[in-house]
Amino acid sequence: MKQILVFILFATLLCWFMFAPVYKHIIIVRQAVLQKEVDYLLEVGANGSHGYINAAMIAESRERMAERGFLVDELAYTVATNSGVGGMDANAPVWRGTGLRLTITYPYQRLFVIDQLVGISVPLASDRMGATGMKMSEYVP
């Protein structure tokens, strides 16, 4: 009986050591893709001819993220400014010198199940990874 228990524990640890680097790379890549998308949207949205990030830009972003394997329904976008005005209205763009802030979040899903089997505390199912960026608007009417 002890031998079976030792075998099961050894097999579990072996699987954890083999697969832990793989799923941690998935987390790193997802985080990097989220940050790259935030940076891109801010670069386009805060340029001299826009001054906003509207729903059409977010829809295009969702398409790009779907191409990279993200579930579109799980992505959450938050657009804000440091002055309190809305940053999503094309009719009222953010003027030069006002910060345009974008946050994109995505759930961890079940990436930490192996850690949980070994006994390591893991993020809750409701926790989300995210990327945030802020860029000063360059829009001048």
Side-chain angles (χ1 to χ4, degrees):
M1 188 66 166
K2 281 185 180 180
Q3 292 174 342
I4 293 173
L5 182 60
V6 169
F7 174 76
I8 291 172
L9 290 174
F10 178 73
T12 304
L13 283 174
L14 181 66
C15 287
W16 183 70
F17 284 127
M18 288 174 51
F19 296 114
V22 173
Y23 75 87
K24 291 191 180 178
H25 280 78
I26 292 170
I27 294 169
I28 292 168
V29 168
R30 282 184 181 177
Q31 181 67 40
V33 170
L34 285 172
Q35 189 63 53
K36 183 178 176 183
E37 189 65 25
V38 165
D39 293 342
Y40 176 75
L41 276 176
L42 283 173
E43 190 68 32
V44 171
N47 68 18
S49 60
H50 286 93
Y52 58 88
I53 298 174
N54 64 2
M57 292 177 185
I58 291 174
E60 291 173 4
S61 171
R62 287 181 186 274
E63 289 175 13
R64 286 190 299 274
M65 298 299 273
E67 291 172 1
R68 292 181 174 104
F70 286 83
L71 299 174
V72 177
D73 298 335
E74 298 290 333
L75 289 164
Y77 291 76
T78 306
V79 179
T81 62
N82 63 352
S83 66
V85 298
M88 294 187 68
D89 189 6
N91 296 324
V94 177
W95 285 47
R96 182 179 187 145
T98 304
L100 188 62
R101 179 178 295 123
L102 175 66
T103 303
I104 303 175
T105 60
Y106 191 73
Y108 284 107
Q109 296 173 330
R110 296 178 43 91
L111 288 175
F112 293 101
V113 171
I114 293 175
D115 283 347
Q116 190 175 15
L117 293 174
V118 177
I120 299 173
S121 60
V122 298
L124 299 172
S126 60
D127 289 346
R128 300 173 72 84
M129 69 177 76
T132 301
M134 182 173 169
K135 185 167 173 134
M136 299 309 249
S137 177
E138 299 171 5
Y139 176 77
V140 178

